[in-house]
Amino acid sequence: MPYVKTRDGTDIYVKDWGEGRPVILLHGWPLSSDSWDPQMKALAEAGFRAIAYDRRGFGRSGQPWSGYDYDTLTDDLHDVMEAAGAGQDATLIGFSMGGGEVARYMSRYDGKGVVAAGLISSVVPYMLQTEDNPDGVPEETLQQIADGIAKDRPEFFRNFFKDFFGVGYITSPVSDATLDWAWRLAMQAGLQPTLKCAESFGHTDFRGDLPAFRVPTLVLHGTADKTVPIDASGRQAARGIANAQLVEYDGAPHGLFATEGERLTRDLLTFLGR
């Protein structure tokens, strides 16, 4: 099952490792399912069925012109779950942009078949700064991201991943090779999907989706995340989800799957009961 065809005919590339209770991992922008490989391997070895897929427009999936709103993206998640036979006793884990699909699935599909959820460095509940969301990201900053991508996408992502992984003049939590790898994943995506998904995660309000979380939910977030600031995301999500456990990674940046990979894996396995 390397590919699933969604209801609108888009081909979605799926990775399916191991056997057992399904854990479905949603990747962040602008990467692909490959960013989850270490966690998928650990989950499969621990007796879970780890499933991850390339979001439409990214990695090896199809690149249609439209369908980058969260309702359509969440329909893709549902279609993958149905095709994989993973619609029972499933855990949904979303990193960054992927947290939005988790939240929207819980409301749009009433959490069908989901027994637990995880939000990792997630954009939930609302990225945009507004009068009633003062800790969010200003519209001007989001526009600068779109302008930078449109002007020189390769150069933009060269710089973007430094903050993403917390690389500075003194500290460098990841190798240069990891930065190159992330850049290559980003460049596999199409320009239209990259821009439209940035628009979606920057402007979609998930605050109304939070009451739909009626399962144990793990919220992991770095306190030094410059990409998705914790005050507008992880802390707000934990306050708005009834059965949430917030774990703050002190001083950690956005890309926890790489900078805090071993700890992240341990926390996921503990949460899942292994």
Side-chain angles (χ1 to χ4, degrees), residues 1 15-26 40 43-44 47-52 77 80-82 84-93 112-118 271-272 274:
M1 191 192 62
K15 300 165 73 164
D16 189 345
W17 297 358
E19 298 179 357
R21 184 154 53 94
V23 180
I24 301 158
L25 302 117
L26 290 304
M40 287 189 67
L43 287 167
F48 293 96
R49 182 184 176 196
I51 300 171
L77 167 60
V80 169
M81 292 172 67
E82 289 292 301
Q88 294 183 340
D89 299 324
T91 296
L92 299 182
I93 305 291
K112 178 184 175 183
V114 175
V115 298
F271 175 65
L272 291 165
R274 288 291 190 274

